[in-house]
Amino acid sequence: MRSYMKWHDKVFFGLHFDLHAGEHDTELGSQTTYQHIKTELSKVAPDWVQYDCKGHPGYTGYPTKVGVASPGIVKDALKIWSKVAHDIEIPIVVHYSGTWDMVQWKLHPEWSRRKSDGTLVGGEGWNPHAMAADCPYDDEILIPQLKEVIDWYGINGCWVDGECWAAAPDWSDWTRELFIKETGITDVPVKPEDPHWAEYMLFNRQRFEAHLQRYADALHAHEPSFAVCSNWAYTVRMPDQVTTPVDYLSGDFTWAFGLESATLEAKFMESRGLPWDLMAWGFTSSGSMSKAKWTTKSFAHLACEAALVASNGGAFQIYDTPVRNGRIVDWHMDVFAKVGKFLRQRQSICQGSTSARHVALLHSQSHYYANNHPENTVSVYNEGVPVHTLTGALALLMENHYHTDVMNEETLLERLDQYPVIVVAEQTHLPANLREALINWVKNGGKLLLSGSHIVSDYGSVLGVKAVGEPAEQTVFVAADAGAVPVSGMWQPVKLAGAKSIAPLLKNQELKRGATKVPAATIKQVGKGMIAAIYGPIATIYGDYRYPRIRSFVGQVLKALVDTMPVEIEAPAYIHLTVREKPNQLIVHLLNTTSANPLSPVNPYVEAIPKVGPIKVTVQCAKRPQKVSLAPDATGMTWKWSKGVLTATIESIHIHSALVIDLAVSRTR
């Protein structure tokens, strides 16, 4: 789809600033000066910068001739920022609110999305004022304004916010009439139990993609080098195949406890075939958005988030807000400059690498859209329970130190033969061809882990068990670490019919007296491969509560299924393993996700990260490596190689270190 290079293909570290200009502003740009902006940006030395253009209120922060400019503009800050960016030779991108525009919602209520009862989508406060996908908004406001800033300021790209996550289900005439015309269905559904509900939600998603296609095509035609990004498009919340000409993927992850969602997003975005970045908020709060008291994050907090993104192959940016008068806070830039230095020390081992094929975790769009319940939210791309389950599944794998990639159905089918291990965690509604392909892959030697109360129904006798009755909500336990842990939920009782039991369900916490004859998990050889199965919602449970014995229980199941992996570590669960490759090089990233101070809902602030060690790394390596080193700090590591196994011991890691293995190259005459 992308036949030409864009500037985002080469960037590694950036900064983002937005103001969301409003009707009550009085001093926008009044203290913005060329020298101040240049001095502060030069401290940090980003590869690109993003600056405010139009936020969710709908007012521009520059003097537009198309829409409605904020009455508080004193000086054109965007003009100054673009001049600085061009002079220091970095791209400048505008932050622009797309489907969410409060001004146009008020001026043109006929453009708004509508609820099923005909009322407007939107209201007071933090509530998306969403434009209907096919209304004149794109052609009369969005596209002309972005052409304006390209022509006036030489802007290099747009980061369009308030997009898929604000794309509310729509019953406006724009959408209803087009749905009737294109499908012939005249009885438009208004609730999930109505006929054609799934078709109508799909149509809403297709109209959002039509919106993306419309403005991306128009902006590329106007300026081919212009890079288009729609915030969170084609990420975990939108796992469809990429069909529109966006140039890169991006998203701003949660300001508090964001490492978890960022891990999932990084693992999925990396599979999408486009350049990508993730944005950390440079500040955090213990309150909700409406009651937040923001405070700037520590270096350690931001450095950990930065290392997570970079070690998975992405670019990283930090979001900060200027003062309303246009100045940026100098001491914030001092903190960000330290983060930038930390990243630059790791750029050569992170940028341009690819993920080693160890474990694939399925993020099925069929399952996702069948279970995400957009009727309860302001978005047809509501994450809901499916993403909660996926988060739990990835945490179980990462905390058991399995290097994991996350991908949708099509990507998994394309790469099936590249992975020795695949995990399908509580994924319902899978297409028959995908289930068949998974079984054939197992027969050829693959190792598959399935979980969920539905899997006996979906996969049948290949599991080597028979269902006993129907799935039932139960209070049950499993044994691990010389104790037991609750795993209550919907479980399918089974009896063995060729499989072996790995562990029984317990009716109480007594390890011997509580044991039942019902397996919690089984394993069966199928052809040359193996299938392990857990007959309840173990990933969803781990998304609910992170009890260590649940992790250990799943670790036992994985060990029975997988045995030896290409790279293994002996380390605490909070050390994340990521394995990347470059030509003739294997890079083992170790990320320390702990905090020196206790974290809680009233304190999400990471004050410091303690050193952790020693850590043992074992790598299956047929030939003795040419070189093994620790980066970026070269000391504190010893290694040996014997009989196809490399063993390295790292004294300690602070936030992030990588074991860099230069592989032996076969010589040919």
Side-chain angles (χ1 to χ4, degrees):
M1 184 181 295
R2 299 172 72 256
S3 59
Y4 46 86
M5 290 285 287
K6 297 281 188 176
W7 57 264
H8 195 281
D9 297 16
K10 297 172 285 187
V11 299
F12 188 64
F13 175 49
L15 294 176
H16 171 98
F17 301 86
D18 68 53
L19 280 166
H20 292 275
E23 61 180 323
H24 301 299
D25 277 302
T26 59
E27 54 180 344
L28 297 177
S30 63
Q31 299 298 314
T32 306
T33 67
Y34 176 94
Q35 192 56 53
H36 169 66
I37 302 303
K38 184 176 181 180
T39 297
E40 297 305 324
L41 287 186
S42 297
K43 280 184 188 177
V44 184
D47 294 326
W48 87 104
V49 67
Q50 300 185 170
Y51 190 70
D52 184 77
C53 179
K54 177 174 78 74
H56 303 329
Y59 296 91
T60 65
Y62 75 97
T64 180
K65 293 181 179 179
V66 177
V68 181
S70 170
I73 298 173
V74 176
K75 192 188 299 182
D76 188 349
L78 183 56
K79 182 177 181 180
I80 296 171
W81 276 78
S82 61
K83 171 65 174 169
V84 172
H86 296 323
D87 287 352
I88 63 177
E89 299 183 333
I90 62 172
I92 181 167
V93 174
V94 289
H95 168 267
Y96 187 95
S97 187
T99 63
W100 185 351
D101 190 311
M102 189 183 301
V103 166
Q104 299 305 323
W105 182 86
K106 291 179 178 178
L107 292 175
H108 294 284
E110 73 277 11
W111 291 0
S112 173
R113 292 179 185 246
R114 300 270 170 170
K115 300 176 185 176
S116 59
D117 63 3
T119 58
L120 294 173
V121 171
E124 297 305 316
W126 192 253
N127 190 348
H129 295 72
M131 298 290 102
D134 293 288
C135 78
Y137 171 76
D138 285 350
D139 292 329
E140 295 189 21
I141 300 296
L142 185 151
I143 293 168
Q145 284 185 337
L146 289 172
K147 286 182 177 179
E148 239 178 9
V149 297
I150 293 171
D151 295 342
W152 292 3
Y153 310 119
I155 298 300
N156 304 105
C158 59
W159 193 85
V160 185
D161 200 1
E163 283 275 86
C164 67
W165 57 272
D170 181 30
W171 283 267
S172 71
D173 289 345
W174 303 101
T175 301
R176 291 178 72 260
E177 291 177 3
L178 194 58
F179 176 74
I180 292 169
K181 179 181 177 181
E182 294 197 3
T183 67
I185 298 170
T186 57
D187 190 10
V188 176
V190 296
K191 53 186 183 300
E193 54 269 29
D194 289 346
H196 309 298
W197 172 262
E199 293 97 318
Y200 195 63
M201 290 300 102
L202 171 60
F203 190 76
N204 271 261
R205 300 194 300 270
Q206 291 170 338
R207 300 327 301 157
F208 175 75
E209 290 192 282
H211 153 78
L212 291 187
Q213 183 83 41
R214 186 181 304 117
Y215 75 75
D217 282 346
L219 296 172
H220 288 150
H222 189 71
E223 175 48 66
S225 66
F226 190 79
V228 172
C229 174
S230 173
N231 184 21
W232 290 123
Y234 300 112
T235 61
V236 165
R237 70 175 63 236
M238 188 179 171
D240 313 74
Q241 287 293 88
V242 180
T243 59
T244 63
V246 294
D247 294 295
Y248 65 98
L249 307 181
S250 181
D252 55 322
F253 56 86
T254 311
W255 61 86
F257 308 110
L259 207 62
E260 183 171 279
S261 63
T263 302
L264 177 59
E265 290 290 358
K267 298 292 185 183
F268 186 67
M269 291 165 79
E270 176 65 358
S271 75
R272 303 298 263 156
L274 285 173
W276 61 277
D277 69 68
L278 278 169
M279 180 195 300
W281 289 38
F283 42 93
T284 189
S285 173
S286 62
S288 65
M289 181 72 77
S290 62
K291 297 181 180 180
K293 301 294 185 288
W294 303 113
T295 186
T296 299
K297 290 177 180 176
S298 68
F299 160 76
H301 195 158
L302 288 167
C304 185
E305 293 175 334
L308 163 68
V309 175
S311 63
N312 280 284
F316 178 73
Q317 54 176 321
I318 301 173
Y319 163 32
D320 198 27
T321 52
V323 182
R324 301 308 290 181
N325 63 25
R327 287 184 63 83
I328 50 180
V329 181
D330 56 358
W331 69 266
H332 292 189
M333 299 306 111
D334 295 337
V335 175
F336 301 163
K338 287 182 63 178
V339 178
K341 182 179 179 181
F342 172 91
L343 269 179
R344 297 300 183 195
Q345 293 171 339
R346 291 156 173 80
Q347 185 166 358
S348 64
I349 58 172
C350 293
Q351 195 172 31
S353 63
T354 57
S355 181
R357 305 303 202 229
H358 288 190
V359 178
L361 174 63
L362 176 63
H363 178 26
S364 160
Q365 58 266 49
S366 300
H367 166 77
Y368 173 71
Y369 288 124
N371 293 281
N372 72 331
H373 299 298
E375 70 276 8
N376 298 325
T377 73
V378 294
S379 177
V380 290
Y381 298 102
N382 172 44
E383 293 176 305
V385 173
V387 173
H388 180 75
T389 299
L390 194 66
T391 301
L394 181 60
L396 283 166
L397 289 162
M398 296 294 292
E399 292 176 17
N400 277 295
H401 300 138
Y402 288 86
H403 167 60
T404 304
D405 298 328
V406 182
M407 61 201 66
N408 72 358
E409 295 166 9
E410 287 83 0
T411 304
L412 181 62
L413 285 170
E414 289 171 5
R415 301 180 183 176
L416 203 57
D417 294 335
Q418 300 175 25
Y419 286 90
V421 182
I422 293 173
V423 177
V424 180
E426 290 123 72
Q427 303 277 288
T428 64
H429 298 80
L430 295 191
N433 70 309
L434 176 56
R435 285 184 279 134
E436 183 179 352
L438 284 169
I439 298 306
N440 288 334
W441 167 81
V442 171
K443 291 176 179 177
N444 288 323
K447 296 179 178 180
L448 175 65
L449 173 60
L450 301 170
S451 69
S453 61
H454 65 285
I455 57 176
V456 180
S457 174
D458 278 3
Y459 294 90
S461 61
V462 72
L463 300 182
V465 299
K466 290 184 178 180
V468 179
E470 297 296 322
E473 187 80 22
Q474 302 182 59
T475 299
V476 288
F477 300 80
V478 291
D481 298 338
V485 63
V487 288
S488 300
M490 190 70 70
W491 287 80
Q492 171 65 66
V494 300
K495 63 180 180 180
L496 300 178
K500 294 180 180 179
S501 176
I502 297 175
L505 282 177
L506 309 178
K507 61 185 178 183
N508 58 45
Q509 296 193 55
E510 292 188 279
L511 299 183
K512 292 183 179 179
R513 291 175 177 266
T516 71
K517 295 181 180 180
V518 177
T522 63
I523 191 165
K524 185 177 187 295
Q525 183 165 346
V526 179
K528 298 178 182 178
M530 304 282 284
I531 299 179
I534 300 172
Y535 299 96
I538 200 72
T540 306
I541 290 168
Y542 204 62
D544 288 337
Y545 42 91
R546 301 297 169 82
Y547 296 164
R549 285 191 174 91
I550 299 176
R551 176 208 311 141
S552 296
F553 165 72
V554 174
Q556 295 168 16
V557 176
L558 286 165
K559 190 65 177 177
L561 174 69
V562 175
D563 197 19
T564 302
M565 291 297 293
V567 178
E568 297 180 339
I569 63 172
E570 293 179 15
Y574 49 77
I575 300 297
H576 283 191
L577 169 68
T578 298
V579 186
R580 307 283 295 181
E581 296 175 337
K582 288 190 173 186
N584 302 315
Q585 197 173 67
L586 189 71
I587 305 164
V588 180
H589 293 277
L590 301 168
L591 179 69
N592 182 1
T593 68
T594 191
S595 171
N597 58 292
L599 302 180
S600 74
V602 297
N603 182 25
Y605 195 93
V606 177
E607 297 179 38
I609 293 176
K611 290 185 177 181
V612 176
I615 293 171
K616 182 180 177 181
V617 182
T618 304
V619 182
Q620 302 302 308
C621 189
K623 295 183 179 180
R624 181 183 176 87
Q626 290 186 336
K627 179 184 177 183
V628 180
S629 58
L630 191 65
D633 301 316
T635 60
M637 185 273 296
T638 59
W639 67 280
K640 62 182 180 180
W641 178 89
S642 176
K643 299 180 181 180
V645 178
L646 165 68
T647 304
T649 301
I650 301 168
E651 289 181 7
S652 68
I653 65 167
H654 180 202
I655 296 173
H656 166 266
S657 295
L659 190 70
V660 182
I661 304 166
D662 293 322
L663 301 171
V665 180
S666 299
R667 296 181 179 179
T668 57
R669 293 185 177 181

